[in-house]
């Protein structure tokens, strides 16, 4: 069956920087299903030709593949159509319906509605799709993709779910978190469930703690007005960091399908120990980079956190007593996303005489980006006299192993939506549970009783308070910038 992707917010950044370049790359690779059309909807009065021309320029910049394949673009651009319209005007949806029938030549077609608008437009678009009969599945499947942010707390996420469910059933809803589209995140499932060697040690008997870091070198830049209302907890923790935690901590699903995978992920969230306001204050540290207050759109007295580190405990048989440390920040030393499995120390120190004091425990480091790969750190005897040991590693690197370029996260996710596979998308209960975990931190950090937010220098690993907080728990952060080859 042919496919039609209808993008609301067609003249926005997401469309030009991510969605259309991803679709073009899929087309170029021959993996976009034949007869896939894209219909853009937004207020800017473009013609099809003008929209195609502007997308050619942006795709040239953002597709990430040199050289640009002009003939592939020409062929792809023929399936791009533009329908000007205002989300607030119902008659524009009636016109959109007519245009879709024209583009689809009145044949049955899988239709994907993509909400690439600002979040306040999600609800009116969904309501209009319902009222105009555009959600009915008499003429092929209808799906809706919802971007982040999905609400701003538990209550608003729940309301948004209710608005969606008034028009679409849950199987039609695809809540996107682009982290799940990253190759190295999907590889966590392969690492854990396609191998047997990790499972016996993937638990409280052998693991001391887990560190999940998403460090960004970039600062807030032009996004100050949005960012100041979100802060790092809403921007990164509720979605991306909790997704990384879930794929690290979940049990093996009984099958690889959306229901089984998401059931296991939700169980992890349900097992996270709830914290009251007092406990939350000690279960995290926040920070703000120096210069944040001068960013455009940021109030000069803002206490918004641009860095955060929190500790979560998972109360189940596998993880009881193994803290999960989640950390993220802007304007940090380097761009790196990594999951570090910190193993326990040996029960007996046999070679104390041969080294220099305390030895680090084994570590499995999963480099999510940008130097995608996996390293296993362990001790080795230095050749020569005595039992002198050194820390060495086994390393797997994507770039060494695979010649092909790693697809951008949106590419596999868009294909999954077209195929109706929701395994890598958040379910309604999953987003609500995520907010329930993050909300207490948001409330505590916004409280007037909090001391002034600690400041860190750009290029640091967050404020000193974060190092001290870890040290007070007898642990140290694993701060390592990736080596790019
Ligand atoms: C987005 C956040 O969801 O993820 C941004 O809003 C952040 O603030 C981005 O920079 C990080 O994504 P990636 O893929 O570059 O790690």
């Amino acid at each position: 069956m042919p496919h039609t992707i209808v993008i609301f917010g067609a003249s926005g950044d997401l469309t030009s920087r991510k969605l259309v370049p991803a679709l073009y790359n899929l087309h170029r690779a021959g993996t976009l299903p034949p007869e896939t059309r894209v219909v853009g909807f937004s207020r800017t009065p473009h013609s099809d030709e003008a929209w195609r021309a502007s997308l050619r320029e942006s795709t040239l910049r953002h597709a990430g593949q040199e050289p640009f394949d002009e003939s592939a673009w020409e062929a792809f651009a023929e399936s791009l159509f533009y329908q000007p319209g205002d989300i607030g005007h119902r008659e524009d949806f009636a016109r959109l319906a007519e245009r879709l029938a024209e583009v689809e030549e009145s044949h049955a077609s899988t239709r994907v509605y993509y909400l690439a608008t600002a979040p306040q437009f999600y609800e009116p678009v969904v309501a209009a799709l319902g009222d105009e009969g555009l959600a009915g599945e008499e003429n092929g499947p209808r799906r809706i993709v919802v971007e982040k942010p999905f609400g701003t707390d538990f209550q608003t996420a729940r309301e948004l779910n209710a608005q969606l469910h008034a028009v679409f059933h849950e199987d039609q809803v695809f809540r996107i978190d682009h982290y799940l589209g990253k190759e190295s995140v999907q590889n966590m499932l392969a690492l854990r469930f396609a191998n047997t060697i990790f499972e016996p040690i993937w638990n409280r008997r052998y693991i001391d703690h887990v560190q999940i870091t998403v460090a960004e070198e970039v600062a807030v830049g032009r996004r100050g007005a949005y960012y100041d209302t979100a802060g790092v907890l809403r921007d990164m923790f509720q979605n991306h960091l909790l997704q990384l935690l879930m794929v690290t901590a979940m049990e093996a699903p009984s099958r690889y399908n959306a229901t089984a995978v998401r059931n296991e992920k939700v169980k992890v969230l349900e097992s996270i120990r709830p914290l009251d306001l007092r406990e939350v204050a000690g279960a995290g540290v926040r920070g703000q980079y120096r210069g944040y207050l001068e960013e455009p759109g940021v109030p000069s007295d803002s206490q918004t956190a641009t860095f955060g580190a929190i500790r979560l405990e998972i109360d189940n048989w596998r993880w009881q007593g193994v803290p999960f440390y989640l950390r993220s920040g802007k304007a940090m030393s380097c761009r790196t996303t990594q999951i570090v499995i910190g193993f326990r120390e040996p029960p007996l120190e046999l070679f104390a005489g041969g080294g220099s004091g305390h030895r680090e425990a084994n570590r499995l480091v999963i480099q999510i980006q940008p130097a995608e790969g996996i390293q296993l750190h362990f001790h080795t005897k230095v050749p020569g006299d005595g039992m002198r040991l050194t820390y060495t590693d086994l390393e797997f690197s994507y770039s060494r192993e695979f010649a092909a370029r790693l697809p951008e996260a949106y590419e596999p996710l868009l294909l999954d939506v077209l195929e109706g596979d929701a395994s890598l998308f958040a379910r309604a209960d999953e987003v609500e549970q995520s907010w329930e975990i993050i909300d207490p931190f948001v409330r505590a950090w916004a409280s007037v009783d909090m001391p002034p937010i600690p400041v860190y220098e750009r290029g640091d690993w967050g404020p000193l308070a974060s190092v001290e907080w870890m040290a007070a728990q007898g642990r140290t952060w694993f701060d390592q910038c990736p080596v790019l080859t």
Side-chain angles (χ1 to χ4, degrees):
M1 191 183 288
H3 297 84
T4 311
I5 305 173
V6 184
I7 305 180
F8 294 97
S11 46
D13 252 20
L14 181 69
T15 305
S16 57
R17 295 167 70 101
K18 299 287 182 189
L19 302 182
V20 170
L23 291 166
Y24 157 76
N25 280 334
L26 290 171
H27 167 86
R28 184 176 164 167
T31 44
L32 190 68
E35 286 198 83
T36 300
R37 292 137 319 198
V38 180
V39 177
F41 180 95
S42 82
R43 277 190 311 188
T44 319
H46 279 318
S47 62
D48 289 346
E49 285 67 35
W51 194 49
R52 290 172 188 172
S54 98
L55 290 177
R56 182 189 170 279
E57 294 315 303
S58 47
T59 306
L60 192 64
R61 283 200 304 280
H62 299 295
Q65 286 199 74
E66 301 289 340
F68 187 68
D69 184 338
E70 204 62 63
S71 64
W73 171 261
E74 288 302 324
F76 170 68
E78 282 173 21
S79 54
L80 299 174
F81 305 92
Y82 187 80
Q83 176 64 29
D86 189 323
I87 288 169
H89 297 163
R90 280 305 157 88
E91 60 279 16
D92 289 352
F93 279 82
R95 276 198 209 101
L96 173 65
E98 283 165 22
R99 186 77 201 276
L100 288 171
E102 190 188 304
V103 166
E104 291 168 351
E105 295 169 347
S106 299
H107 291 147
S109 184
T110 300
R111 233 185 245 171
V112 171
Y113 300 113
Y114 201 115
L115 298 180
T117 63
Q120 68 267 29
F121 299 117
Y122 295 171
E123 193 273 330
V125 172
V126 171
L129 289 174
D131 293 348
E132 294 301 320
L134 288 164
E137 297 197 288
E138 309 78 27
N139 267 320
R142 300 290 179 257
R143 302 184 185 126
I144 184 151
V145 182
V146 191
E147 267 291 334
K148 65 163 282 229
F150 195 94
T152 53
D153 58 12
F154 172 73
Q155 195 50 40
T156 48
R158 176 163 267 199
E159 282 160 19
L160 181 52
N161 275 331
Q163 288 154 359
L164 283 161
H165 291 157
V167 177
F168 294 94
H169 53 80
E170 178 61 20
D171 291 350
Q172 294 174 279
V173 183
F174 289 69
R175 297 171 194 78
I176 207 161
D177 183 319
H178 76 282
Y179 264 61
L180 289 176
K182 293 183 191 281
E183 277 294 332
S184 48
V185 175
Q186 292 175 53
N187 189 50
M188 278 300 283
L189 301 175
L191 177 82
R192 295 200 48 213
F193 306 132
N195 298 298
T196 51
I197 56 172
F198 299 108
E199 173 56 22
I201 55 170
W202 207 263
N203 57 51
R204 62 196 298 272
R205 281 192 69 190
Y206 293 96
I207 296 177
D208 174 71
H209 72 283
V210 176
Q211 295 184 19
I212 302 178
T213 298
V214 182
E216 293 187 278
E217 201 175 350
V218 292
V220 166
R222 289 183 300 130
R223 296 167 76 219
Y226 149 76
Y227 192 88
D228 201 66
T229 61
V232 71
L233 287 171
R234 290 192 174 105
D235 190 49
M236 299 297 287
F237 280 72
Q238 177 270 332
N239 36 66
H240 311 323
L241 278 116
L242 284 182
Q243 287 295 344
L244 295 177
L245 177 143
M246 285 186 262
V247 293
T248 308
M250 68 191 274
E251 298 299 316
S254 50
R255 298 203 158 53
Y256 190 59
N257 66 34
T259 306
V261 169
R262 297 189 299 179
N263 282 347
E264 294 307 332
K265 286 172 64 191
V266 169
K267 278 189 215 161
V268 173
L269 298 181
E270 285 169 350
S271 312
I272 291 180
R273 188 179 305 161
L275 300 172
D276 64 31
L277 266 189
R278 207 168 29 82
E279 292 166 325
V280 160
V285 217
R286 56 194 191 128
Q288 189 183 77
Y289 65 82
R290 191 175 305 285
Y292 174 70
L293 300 178
E294 282 85 59
E295 300 283 15
V298 173
S300 58
D301 58 351
S302 170
Q303 290 287 296
T304 297
T306 62
F307 169 92
I310 68 173
R311 183 186 65 238
L312 297 174
E313 305 274 349
I314 303 177
D315 286 335
N316 65 20
W317 279 53
R318 186 186 288 274
W319 296 116
Q320 181 69 39
V322 180
F324 278 68
Y325 295 99
L326 274 49
R327 170 175 69 150
S328 182
K330 298 265 184 213
M332 291 180 60
S333 337
C334 54
R335 174 171 180 253
T336 179
T337 297
Q338 48 189 242
I339 301 172
V340 180
I341 312 293
F343 290 95
R344 290 192 184 283
E345 292 179 5
L348 189 64
E349 182 61 276
L350 283 185
F351 310 116
S356 52
H358 178 75
R359 230 189 313 280
E360 291 181 75
N362 295 133
R363 261 192 312 252
L364 181 70
V365 181
I366 297 129
Q367 304 278 2
I368 301 292
Q369 65 182 19
E372 292 84 355
I374 298 172
Q375 293 128 21
L376 180 64
H377 298 245
F378 55 96
H379 298 282
T380 302
K381 179 183 174 306
V382 178
D385 289 347
M387 285 303 284
R388 202 154 60 81
L389 305 187
T390 186
Y391 212 41
T392 48
D393 57 66
L394 282 175
E395 184 169 9
F396 156 72
S397 139
Y398 271 78
S399 63
R400 225 180 14 233
E401 192 70 25
F402 304 110
R405 135 198 116 88
L406 287 181
E408 274 290 320
Y410 276 93
E411 296 173 25
L413 294 177
L414 283 165
L415 277 187
D416 283 355
V417 179
L418 295 178
E419 281 158 21
D421 179 355
S423 310
L424 297 176
F425 293 81
R427 206 164 60 187
D429 51 346
E430 188 177 331
V431 277
E432 289 180 17
Q433 286 276 348
S434 308
W435 279 117
E436 277 204 296
I437 293 160
I438 296 305
D439 277 355
F441 288 94
V442 174
R443 275 200 297 276
W445 290 7
S447 146
V448 287
D449 302 332
M450 283 297 271
I453 191 162
V455 170
Y456 60 97
E457 302 302 328
R458 283 172 186 246
D460 277 357
W461 287 91
L464 187 60
S466 153
V467 179
E468 292 169 347
W469 177 73
M470 268 306 241
Q473 299 170 70
R475 300 194 172 91
T476 45
W477 288 113
F478 178 67
D479 292 341
Q480 188 179 293
C481 288
V483 181
L484 295 168
T485 47

